[in-house]
Amino acid sequence: MIHGTVVGLQARINVILRPPERSDVEIECVVDTGFEGALTLPPDVVAALKLPYITRISANLADDSSVMTRLHLATIIWHGVEREVIVLAMGRRPLMGTALIEDYHLSVDFCEGGSVIIDEIM
């Protein structure tokens, strides 16, 4: 079970990244149910973590505009297990998308300090 908290009406959880040749890094991410990918991280964070580069793609945004962004590979710890995910290097705030919570149950109490829980579907 992964626990988080609502801050400013944003469901937030911490994701543990295991960058190459470095210690684990914990990053607070906003749960974005409108984002179908796994993670976005600001480009400076991706560079600092030295995440392996994959390619560039055109990403479609919520306002239906498109931007070119770089894809990187990251290893995260998800429910106690290492998992490789694609990271989009974009934005100012780390986002966690629905690719990570597919086949999981997401529960959010949308009030300041409310509980965020991501758990296996029984």
Side-chain angles (χ1 to χ4, degrees):
M1 186 178 315
I2 296 174
H3 294 272
T5 306
V6 173
V7 178
L9 290 181
Q10 295 177 337
R12 299 183 186 191
I13 64 156
N14 290 335
V15 174
I16 299 171
L17 282 92
R18 184 160 283 166
E21 303 175 23
R22 289 198 50 186
S23 299
D24 290 354
V25 176
E26 194 167 357
I27 296 180
E28 183 182 67
C29 297
V30 173
V31 178
D32 183 351
T33 59
F35 168 47
E36 296 174 354
L39 290 174
T40 70
L41 293 174
D44 59 324
V45 173
V46 170
L49 295 174
K50 298 181 180 174
L51 299 180
Y53 172 76
I54 299 172
T55 192
R56 287 177 61 88
I57 65 162
S58 178
N60 182 264
L61 303 179
D63 67 359
D64 206 29
S65 65
S66 294
V67 296
M68 292 301 294
T69 188
R70 297 167 54 102
L71 297 184
H72 294 263
L73 187 63
T75 301
I76 65 170
I77 306 302
W78 189 252
H79 291 271
V81 177
E82 282 190 6
R83 179 173 171 181
E84 287 192 338
V85 297
I86 301 296
V87 173
L88 283 73
M90 61 188 301
R92 297 180 313 239
R93 168 180 318 154
L95 300 176
M96 185 202 79
T98 58
L100 276 183
I101 56 176
E102 181 178 12
D103 297 325
Y104 286 88
H105 177 78
L106 170 66
S107 172
V108 182
D109 295 329
F110 272 105
C111 60
E112 193 64 27
S115 176
V116 179
I117 299 172
I118 299 171
D119 200 5
E120 295 183 53
I121 295 174
M122 298 296 173

